[in-house]
Amino acid sequence: MHTNQSKLAEPVKPSEAPDAAIAMLNAEGTVVGWTQAAQQLVGYSARDVVGRPAAHVLSSSEDASRARALAEQCRAQGGWSGTMTVRHRDGHTLTLTLRVSLLWGENESLRWLVSVTDIGELSSGALNGSLRESLLTHAPIGIVVRDLQLRCTWVNDAMELHDGIPRDRRFGSRLKDSLPGFEAEALEVVMQRVLESGTSMVHEYRAWPPTHRHQEHVMSASFFCFQDADGKPQGVCSMSVDVTGNRRARERLAILSEASTRIGSTLDVMQTGQELAELAVPLLADHALVDLVESVPFALEPSARIGTANGRTPTLRRAGMASVELGLLELPWVREEVIHVHPASPFANALRTGSSHLVPALGMDTHFGPWVHHDPARGQKVRDSGVHSLMVVPIRSRRCVLGLALFGRSTEQTPFQEDDLLLAEELVTRAALCLDNALQYARERTAALTLQRDLLPHRVRGGAAVEVASRYVPADMDHGVGGDWFDVIELSGARVALVVGDVVGHGINAAATMGRLRTAVRTLADLDLPPDELLAHLDDTVRRLNDENEVDDDIPDQAPVVVGATCLYAVYDPVTRRCAMARAGHLPPAIIDPQGCVTFPDMPAGAPLGLGLGVLAFESVELELPEGSVLAFYTDGLVESRDDDIDVGLQRLGTALTQSGRSLEDLCSQVVETLPARTHSDDVALLLVRTRALQSARVASWDLPNEPAAVRTARHLAARQLSTWRLEHLLPTVELIVSELVTNAIRYGGGPVRLRLIQHQVLTCEVSDTSTSHPRPRHPSTLDENGRGLFLIARLSRRWGSRSASNGKVVWAEHDLPSAAVAG
């Protein structure tokens, strides 16, 4: 484990620990040293037991005889551990766990150290956790007893395994004489405090065992003060346990805890790669590189699966890099650079197999020969960096390799080991989960944006009625795409329908619902319904969608999907300059007159769509607009925010719209720029239209009597008007259309008939009568004398239809105009 991991762990300081009951016996079994904890455990003070046989504290003569047998066993085996019954000074007995260790002194003299644990107190944590675990599992404990001058007097064999110092070199020496350095001085300070206070203490220190000189170990030493018969300090005992595994486990948990907060803070895959590299340095490695398969930064999952051999090694892109030496940050590649992996390198092998690669001692010629020969300049840079140990860990997700993470050591001399690789794989796994989440989110959001943008009009045109400009600003990454839409629909008679709507919710479902409603509005607009009637039909459509989305009781865990939406629908007629509009829970439009005055018309709000309240829930209003008026249709994302009241947003919108003299495109940009700088949480749709008035010279109308002779008069009037407009070449076709329309009106209608010709983008022929029944085309048989009029109109005209009027109906037909006439 990398030494810099201690930066995440709590600093280790000398601390008081619960006293362990320790006693020291001579070769004959006489107590020669006693601790305060031993007195607390069995009730005997040092004055009571020091100088007396250890059997004095046993509960019975049988236990005394057993102790003598154990003594013989200890001499034969060099120690013993087990349970024994001991008599407390007040008379009750204790069942204790004993561990007897052999200590050596000068001239091969020996003593015994007895460490005692009360089984009944184990669960209460009376002993230090690592020491207690060692006592119970027979882990090798290094024991040293020192006098008041901290010189070694007694030691066991296990201590040499910890620091490699033979016992003959210890006797009479202080710790700093045999183990010089800061750690020795710190340990002697702790031992001096133990002698002065009589309180046991615990201290952790580093060591390099002789069998693993290249690997740092963490030792936990417990220090106890021995008392003589007068209760005065006579020496200090240290018991050392290797707790490297426990320390590494704590450090690993600390690093993983840090990873949970530092990796994946955003849905940016490149940022996630950089966060992984910055976390690994210096906690795990001196250098870290994170490379992603080139498609991943573009929200595309790699096509190749683990284990597939397609003969191609994917191209990578550097996503993250970190180093303890800033000068090495550009070795061997810079961030965001495209990287081509050599097919013979361990990197390519990790990409193909999805398996990690650990190189404890890096030799370029051995491990990276083909790669170095392929790119000798960069290979030399790697050599110069001093990296001597390396780990290559693939970033895997759902049987795909998303990239590679490389970890190297140069400054830290300890090579990577298997537990370092396990930790690196855990860190990379967490990063892979974040990357996979980001990819899934990006895929869904891209699909929703694509769907919404495909469903929105790519180009809006207002014909002769209005000039149009629009903006759509999607919501931010945290909230996703929504269901806002707008539309401009050209109607008959040079009129135009203006629509803005907002589906409740976000995501692909809202976008799909928006597309269905936009299609429904366009279909209903072809029926030329008044705004209030159209919204009533649209309300029925939304209600049916909700009925289709009702939860099926046979499908478990199905969540109901409720469709809700608001809409504003308006129809503007450039001939009369009148605009009829109705709204279904949507915000009213802003109207800017030619002088720059902004008003929000007072019109019934209407109910949101989907409530099924019928036509009475909506009410149309009609306004006469001066030519050059600007209407602003928008969704609530433009004027609503979490921090401000909607009136503030409406006032901000009105102020932006008063910029006179601007084009509609510039005005659109000006309005969007007024959005708060902070990230908005809803889509914004904005539609601006500037009204036009059709010149009177482009409109001609006549009232005709309801009699057959009117058909000839209508043809004559139409011919004269086409001559005035210099459209004589259209006369044969238009005469036939006018004849059929007027004939049908006289034959099937009632009251006076009115003929109107409108020259705009097309030539429109309209015939109105007082009948409310609309014509229905049919397929006449060979012998039928009637029924061919509408069939003829459909063949001769660009399109035709009928619409309701306040006093009857209007049947109309359109004919294309030459480009010169349209431009004029």
Side-chain angles (χ1 to χ4, degrees):
M1 189 71 67
H2 198 219
T3 55
N4 284 326
Q5 289 173 2
S6 59
K7 294 181 179 180
L8 279 182
E10 290 294 330
V12 177
K13 298 180 180 179
S15 59
E16 293 188 6
D19 287 340
I22 303 294
M24 188 163 62
L25 314 180
N26 62 17
E28 289 74 29
T30 300
V31 178
V32 294
W34 197 249
T35 62
Q36 291 181 358
Q39 178 180 346
Q40 294 172 1
L41 180 61
V42 297
Y44 295 100
S45 66
R47 185 182 301 274
D48 296 329
V49 295
V50 173
R52 304 182 66 178
H56 175 70
V57 297
L58 298 179
S59 60
S60 66
S61 59
E62 288 126 4
D63 288 330
S65 61
R66 182 187 176 201
R68 286 190 293 271
L70 291 177
E72 294 299 328
Q73 184 177 349
C74 286
R75 291 186 180 94
Q77 299 180 356
W80 174 85
S81 62
T83 59
M84 181 171 286
T85 302
V86 175
R87 184 181 69 252
H88 193 276
R89 184 173 184 178
D90 63 10
H92 74 276
T93 58
L94 301 170
T95 301
L96 305 178
T97 297
L98 276 67
R99 179 163 181 165
V100 183
S101 302
L102 173 62
L103 302 182
W104 296 98
E106 291 186 288
N107 301 322
E108 298 298 317
S109 58
L110 61 86
R111 284 190 176 178
W112 303 98
L113 186 102
V114 182
S115 53
V116 183
T117 304
D118 185 354
I119 294 179
E121 296 293 332
L122 285 178
S123 61
S124 65
L127 293 177
N128 175 267
S130 61
L131 175 59
R132 183 180 66 207
E133 182 181 356
S134 299
L135 291 173
L136 296 178
T137 58
H138 302 271
I141 300 177
I143 304 173
V144 179
V145 178
R146 299 180 183 275
D147 60 17
L148 297 178
Q149 286 74 41
L150 303 183
R151 294 173 300 196
C152 176
T153 56
W154 304 94
V155 64
N156 72 339
D157 292 332
M159 194 63 201
E160 185 175 350
L161 299 176
H162 290 175
D163 56 19
I165 302 174
R167 67 170 182 255
D168 293 340
R169 287 176 46 195
R170 294 181 188 272
F171 297 129
S173 300
R174 296 180 58 167
L175 182 60
K176 64 181 181 181
D177 297 329
S178 57
L179 187 66
F182 172 77
E183 294 287 354
E185 294 181 2
L187 290 172
E188 287 199 349
V189 170
V190 176
M191 288 188 282
Q192 192 63 48
R193 289 170 56 184
V194 170
L195 287 173
E196 294 172 356
S197 65
T199 304
S200 300
M201 304 191 77
V202 176
H203 184 65
E204 287 188 2
Y205 65 96
R206 295 175 299 171
W208 286 263
T211 55
H212 300 87
R213 286 297 184 188
H214 64 283
Q215 181 178 352
E216 177 187 281
H217 281 236
V218 179
M219 313 298 295
S220 178
S222 300
F223 299 94
F224 313 94
C225 178
F226 278 131
Q227 296 175 339
D228 58 17
D230 296 327
K232 295 180 180 180
Q234 67 172 188
V236 61
C237 173
S238 66
M239 302 177 67
S240 302
V241 181
D242 190 336
V243 294
T244 304
N246 294 340
R247 179 69 175 271
R248 289 181 176 175
R250 292 198 302 270
E251 290 172 343
R252 171 177 289 186
L253 289 175
I255 293 176
L256 293 177
S257 176
E258 189 86 354
S260 64
T261 59
R262 289 178 54 183
I263 298 178
S265 62
T266 69
L267 290 170
D268 184 343
V269 295
M270 298 293 282
Q271 179 64 26
T272 299
Q274 183 62 29
E275 289 169 349
L276 172 60
E278 291 177 351
L279 176 67
V281 175
L283 299 178
L284 176 64
D286 295 325
H287 318 285
L289 302 175
V290 179
D291 300 330
L292 298 178
V293 175
E294 193 173 18
S295 61
V296 172
F298 301 100
L300 298 175
E301 187 177 88
S303 57
R305 298 284 174 174
I306 295 175
T308 59
N310 54 11
R312 295 182 57 189
T313 302
T315 302
L316 303 178
R317 186 177 292 272
R318 176 69 27 91
M321 57 194 310
S323 175
V324 294
E325 300 180 46
L326 297 179
L328 295 178
L329 282 178
E330 296 186 1
L331 297 176
W333 293 282
V334 297
R335 191 165 185 258
E336 298 189 4
E337 182 181 348
V338 174
I339 301 167
H340 300 281
V341 181
H342 191 270
S345 67
F347 313 126
N349 184 61
L351 289 171
R352 285 191 297 267
T353 65
S355 301
S356 301
H357 191 72
L358 170 64
V359 185
L362 181 61
M364 282 294 175
D365 295 335
T366 303
H367 298 94
F368 296 95
W371 169 58
V372 171
H373 295 312
H374 176 73
D375 195 346
R378 287 181 173 173
Q380 185 61 44
K381 289 183 179 181
V382 175
R383 286 192 184 97
D384 296 341
S385 70
V387 173
H388 62 81
S389 189
L390 187 71
M391 294 186 296
V392 181
V393 182
I395 305 173
R396 299 174 298 182
S397 174
R398 292 184 290 119
R399 290 194 53 78
C400 282
V401 176
L402 305 180
L404 292 176
L406 282 70
F407 306 96
R409 282 183 179 172
S410 59
T411 304
E412 169 60 38
Q413 295 304 310
T414 304
F416 287 123
Q417 302 171 52
E418 288 295 335
D419 58 345
D420 294 313
L421 182 61
L422 290 175
L423 176 58
E425 289 177 335
E426 290 185 36
L427 292 177
V428 170
T429 297
R430 297 198 176 205
L433 289 174
C434 297
L435 290 172
D436 187 59
N437 290 338
L439 287 175
Q440 291 191 56
Y441 180 86
R443 285 193 294 270
E444 181 176 345
R445 188 172 188 273
T446 300
L449 281 173
T450 302
L451 177 62
Q452 185 178 40
R453 288 169 179 168
D454 285 348
L455 293 175
L456 287 172
H458 292 258
R459 182 183 177 187
V460 289
R461 294 177 296 182
V466 292
E467 177 190 353
V468 180
S470 61
R471 291 290 187 276
Y472 168 69
V473 182
D476 62 3
M477 288 292 291
D478 291 334
H479 296 84
V481 70
D484 294 12
W485 90 93
F486 59 86
D487 212 345
V488 179
I489 307 169
E490 295 186 64
L491 303 177
S492 63
R495 297 169 307 127
V496 65
L498 309 168
V499 191
V500 64
D502 185 0
V503 174
V504 176
H506 297 281
I508 196 167
N509 290 331
T513 300
M514 174 272 290
R516 300 173 76 174
L517 295 186
R518 178 172 177 256
T519 301
V521 170
R522 279 189 160 266
T523 302
L524 293 171
D526 285 342
L527 300 178
D528 257 330
L529 298 173
D532 55 342
E533 292 185 27
L534 183 141
L535 290 180
H537 285 289
L538 189 61
D539 180 61
D540 288 339
T541 300
V542 175
R543 185 169 52 82
R544 284 194 297 272
L545 289 177
N546 283 329
D547 292 340
E548 294 173 2
N549 292 333
E550 285 186 356
V551 175
D552 189 344
D553 295 334
D554 296 332
I555 302 177
D557 301 327
Q558 184 185 14
V561 179
V562 179
V563 177
T566 63
C567 185
L568 172 63
Y569 185 82
V571 176
Y572 174 70
D573 188 344
V575 177
T576 62
R577 292 184 290 103
R578 299 192 70 80
C579 181
M581 62 182 72
R583 60 185 178 129
H586 203 85
L587 293 169
I591 301 178
I592 306 94
D593 64 21
Q595 289 72 41
C597 180
V598 180
T599 59
F600 294 91
D602 183 15
M603 55 185 297
L609 299 173
L611 300 183
L613 300 180
V615 70
L616 297 179
F618 313 102
E619 183 177 348
S620 295
V621 298
E622 192 171 76
L623 305 173
E624 185 173 343
L625 302 176
E627 183 179 3
S629 298
V630 174
L631 285 79
F633 301 88
Y634 52 92
T635 54
D636 54 9
L638 184 66
V639 295
E640 288 185 349
S641 70
R642 298 186 183 94
D643 302 324
D644 298 326
D645 187 78
I646 191 172
D647 292 337
V648 176
L650 292 174
Q651 183 179 4
R652 184 178 64 245
L653 172 62
T655 302
L657 291 172
T658 57
Q659 305 293 324
S660 60
R662 287 177 174 264
S663 67
L664 284 188
E665 288 294 334
D666 290 342
L667 198 55
C668 266
S669 300
Q670 174 71 23
V671 171
V672 171
E673 289 173 1
T674 64
L675 288 171
R678 58 187 178 277
T679 305
H680 48 283
S681 60
D682 200 0
D683 285 9
V684 172
L686 174 64
L687 175 66
L688 295 183
V689 298
R690 180 176 281 123
T691 63
R692 295 168 174 159
L694 206 61
Q695 299 174 6
S696 58
R698 289 179 174 270
V699 181
S701 60
W702 305 272
D703 291 326
L704 302 173
N706 191 351
E707 57 186 32
V711 176
R712 180 179 179 182
T713 303
R715 287 199 303 269
H716 174 72
L717 294 172
R720 188 173 62 184
Q721 188 60 49
L722 290 179
S723 178
T724 303
W725 287 340
R726 297 181 181 181
L727 298 175
E728 294 89 346
H729 60 285
L730 300 180
L731 182 58
T733 303
V734 173
E735 279 188 331
L736 284 174
I737 293 174
V738 168
S739 296
E740 293 299 329
L741 291 177
V742 173
T743 299
N744 284 342
I746 293 174
R747 180 175 300 173
Y748 303 108
V753 176
R754 185 175 182 82
L755 170 66
R756 185 169 74 165
L757 300 181
I758 305 173
Q759 183 194 7
H760 51 108
Q761 312 303 113
V762 294
L763 177 66
T764 301
C765 304
E766 294 182 349
V767 174
S768 57
D769 59 61
T770 58
S771 172
T772 57
S773 84
H774 292 261
R776 295 179 178 272
R778 62 187 182 90
H779 296 281
S781 63
T782 305
L783 300 178
D784 287 344
E785 296 182 2
N786 300 316
R788 293 181 174 82
L790 293 179
F791 178 77
L792 182 62
I793 292 173
R795 293 295 301 269
L796 295 175
S797 62
R798 177 175 179 267
R799 63 172 187 156
W800 75 278
S802 65
R803 67 177 183 269
S804 298
S806 57
N807 56 351
K809 70 174 182 296
V810 176
V811 182
W812 53 270
E814 294 177 350
H815 196 287
D816 288 325
L817 292 175
S819 56
V822 174

